[in-house]
Amino acid sequence: MPERFVAQAERELGAEGRRLVEALDGRPGLSIRYNPYKVKERPAGRGVPWCRYGFMLDERPAFTLDPQLHGGAYYVQDSSSMFVEHLVREAFGDKAEGIAVLDLCAAPGGKATLLSSVAGLEGLVVANETIRLRAMALADNVARWGLGNVVVTNNDPARFAPLAGLFDCVLVDAPCSGEGMFRKDPAARGQWSEANVELCAARQRRILADAWPLVREGGCLIYSTCTFNRRENEDNVAWLASEFDCERVAVRIDGRWGIIRGEAGNMETFRFHPGRVEGEGFFATIVRKCSGGRVLKGRNRHLSSTQSRPPHPRRSTLVELPRELTAAAHQWVAQPFQVTFGSIVSGSSSRPGDISRSGSTCGFGGDGNSSHSGDAGSSGGSGGHLRPCSYLRPGGDGGFGSSGSPDRSDGSGRSDGSGGAYMYYSARYQAVKMLADTMTVIHSGIPMGQFFHGRLRPDHSLAMFHDLRREAAPVAELPLTVAQNYLRREAIPAELLAEGINLIVHNNLALGWAKRIGARINNLYPQNLRIRDL
């Protein structure tokens, strides 16, 4: 344990700091969160009290070999960070379902997929990550979760300036010094330094300054870290309260949960210390935005990079799927009346509406009313919508074949002219369209695949979709060992599949696609997702 960290903990936390340091040498807790849209009955077990979907595990299973994990039935997430759900439900009550949320620092996707479940199918989650490789991993996890209400973006926080006041809730789970990971990841101890603490605290304030204008009046901002020191936690909360028109949000907690309730700048704070809770180190606060709270006060105005000129939206890239293909798309969705089908078209001359007036017309606000309710990667340029994440990787099969090219039985190599078919819940289609025209989007809704001669060749994301219509393709139920071989992209027995495209399932949970051509099986599980060892 770094000596200066020990001294810092004792100086800032006193006896609690000494107890915390001792607890960091203990055994880490282990927890998962199940997907309520894929798991219909609440599993038995020891629940996480502040998250209705969370469970503690006494022993670590072989996650890599579990088809339930690969099919999006659950997500391995630290129980402390699941507290974000409790904060959202306390702030929004029965209106939590349907809110529009921005997770500004979202990779790898634990909180984004949790918020996806909380916001529900009428809600919208924009999950952003500035570093491109981390954004790709985020997109994979979102696709696996399979709800269809998430847009993954790859932008610097400052690039969201045109969307000011359009989100009910903004989560800043800020990059931090990682002291909360000392028990779970001992290597993090060797990377710690006081200089890095100061660097992180300053960076966190810049992110908060960019995030604050994005919250609608009456909406909420959640700030969280996985560290213990006051400079990145309480000091930043006090700064936030002094610079912006924040309002305290009352949050109920049970004293038996072991959470340390505190206060900074008259805002409530919540600390999770190993030894008091089973999870790892975590800190969080939630504040509500009062009227006029979008303006920075006084001396720290320079911290916000949103003062720069907002980017012009580029020509529209997302249009509705042609009518002649919509009927074919309907057969793949169990409840098609709830969704709108779109397509990515380059070079369109149409332009989006005025972004500054889009809060109520694009459905960003939870009730349709906007007035109440590192490395920047490739964030430069005017934004735009890229193809589904499986198309982006060299050698990726896009859900069609192992060579990266669609498996076309007719040999024509010609699609029906669209840049791929996508599915969105209708209540949020216009909001996603505005995002596609403004930001760098790498995943949105459900990428369905491409049409060839009126027939859909499905993308892997469609297999992960919770509301996939099972009658659209033959279903092949595989036993455990065969399902594991499928996830390795190894050969599986042809006699288990019908001729043509098959949906591969294990215990009735979809895992992906495979195509039988006579005695040959084309395993369409994405190359980048396959099990590589064990």
Side-chain angles (χ1 to χ4, degrees), residues 13-143:
L13 302 174
E16 175 63 23
R18 290 188 291 273
R19 190 208 58 77
L20 171 63
V21 170
E22 293 177 1
L24 289 176
D25 284 327
R27 179 185 176 186
L30 182 63
S31 52
I32 64 172
R33 175 174 45 81
Y34 76 91
N35 188 335
Y37 289 85
K38 293 187 177 183
V39 179
K40 300 306 179 186
E41 295 184 5
R42 179 182 173 89
R46 190 159 45 95
V48 175
W50 47 81
C51 175
R52 63 179 63 175
Y53 312 123
F55 284 86
M56 301 302 303
L57 301 181
D58 295 323
E59 296 182 0
R60 187 178 187 89
F63 287 124
T64 302
L65 295 177
D66 188 1
Q68 301 294 309
L69 174 66
H70 296 277
Y74 66 89
Y75 192 104
V76 183
Q77 182 180 8
D78 179 64
S79 59
S80 299
S81 65
M82 298 180 194
F83 189 66
V84 167
E85 176 190 341
H86 185 71
L87 292 176
V88 171
R89 294 193 187 279
E90 286 290 287
F92 293 94
D94 57 5
K95 293 183 179 180
E97 292 191 15
I99 62 173
V101 185
L102 170 61
D103 185 351
L104 201 53
C105 314
K111 297 177 186 67
T113 53
L114 172 58
L115 291 168
S116 172
S117 298
V118 174
L121 304 184
E122 293 188 0
L124 178 68
V125 176
V126 179
N128 181 67
E129 173 56 46
T130 62
I131 300 173
R132 186 52 173 268
L133 288 178
R134 287 172 55 84
M136 302 297 287
L138 170 63
D140 284 336
N141 285 326
V142 165

Side-chain angles (χ1 to χ4, degrees), residues 245-396:
D245 293 330
C246 302
E247 181 179 79
R248 186 185 183 109
V249 177
V251 177
R252 296 166 294 178
I253 62 172
D254 190 320
R256 294 171 295 181
W257 293 354
I259 301 170
I260 302 173
R261 186 198 294 266
E263 184 178 288
N266 199 36
M267 304 295 137
E268 286 197 313
T269 62
F270 306 92
R271 280 178 168 266
F272 293 71
H273 288 180
R276 291 188 176 273
V277 298
E278 291 190 72
E280 301 311 299
F282 187 66
F283 173 90
T285 189
I286 183 169
V287 301
R288 195 177 302 278
K289 185 175 187 177
C290 303
S291 176
R294 287 207 296 261
V295 180
L296 273 169
K297 299 176 184 176
R299 65 188 182 283
N300 287 315
R301 182 179 297 271
H302 66 279
L303 283 173
S304 175
S305 51
T306 58
Q307 305 299 323
S308 59
R309 184 178 178 181
H312 291 291
R314 54 182 284 158
R315 291 182 293 182
S316 183
T317 55
L318 177 62
V319 298
E320 290 194 31
L321 195 68
R323 183 176 300 177
E324 61 271 17
L325 299 179
T326 298
H330 274 198
Q331 68 172 316
W332 294 87
V333 181
Q335 301 180 79
F337 56 88
Q338 293 184 337
V339 305
T340 297
F341 299 100
S343 179
I344 306 304
V345 178
S346 301
S348 172
S349 60
S350 60
R351 295 182 64 85
D354 182 0
I355 293 175
S356 65
R357 297 194 300 268
S358 298
S360 59
T361 59
C362 289
F364 263 62
D367 59 0
N369 187 337
S370 62
S371 64
H372 182 75
S373 291
D375 175 10
S378 59
S379 60
S382 301
H385 199 303
L386 304 182
R387 303 180 79 181
C389 50
S390 53
Y391 290 106
L392 290 170
R393 298 180 176 84

